[in-house]
Amino acid sequence: TLSFRNPGRDIRVYLQLDQPSTAFPEPQRVEMRVGDAVVDSFLLPAGRMELRPIQLAAGQLGTAETVELAVSVDRTFVPASMPALRSTDQRELGIRVFRAFVQPS
């Protein structure tokens, strides 16, 4: 979940993200939500970094002082359960988010 101050006007959110693992033969579905509303949904293939712009209208941000943008994926993986990775990492992982930037529109 990404939290930021509600600017009270239209914005564009930029996310730099990737799916570093080849755990899945098909791209992962990534979903972005503000509250219960899905504001973006897309497929993210493994091994490719992406800069994803998301346009949000002021009305989608709500009236609270803080906006919470939830990022979720349809599948996760545990590196330790993948012999090819030779990892002891027991965390349940999805995608990596490197940077997030909020810009007024």
Side-chain angles (χ1 to χ4, degrees):
T1 300
L2 304 167
S3 298
F4 53 92
R5 187 171 179 267
N6 190 340
R9 61 185 193 181
D10 296 356
I11 60 170
R12 186 175 297 242
V13 176
Y14 294 92
L15 297 176
Q16 183 182 29
L17 42 81
D18 80 346
Q19 166 36 282
S21 174
T22 56
F24 310 113
E26 299 170 359
Q28 278 182 288
R29 174 153 304 279
V30 180
E31 190 174 86
M32 310 287 188
R33 292 179 171 269
V34 175
D36 292 332
V38 175
V39 295
D40 193 23
S41 179
F42 59 96
L43 295 175
L44 183 63
R48 187 175 78 202
M49 182 156 317
E50 184 171 321
L51 180 62
R52 183 75 181 185
I54 305 163
Q55 184 69 40
L56 296 172
Q60 292 177 288
L61 304 176
T63 58
E65 186 174 317
T66 302
V67 177
E68 290 190 351
L69 178 64
V71 181
S72 63
V73 294
D74 61 344
R75 292 167 289 173
T76 59
F77 68 100
V78 176
S81 69
M82 301 177 66
L85 295 179
R86 297 183 201 172
S87 176
T88 59
D89 189 347
Q90 295 290 331
R91 295 177 298 162
E92 187 175 348
L93 304 175
I95 61 171
R96 293 188 295 189
V97 177
F98 292 97
R99 292 178 180 84
F101 181 75
V102 177
Q103 178 180 19
S105 293

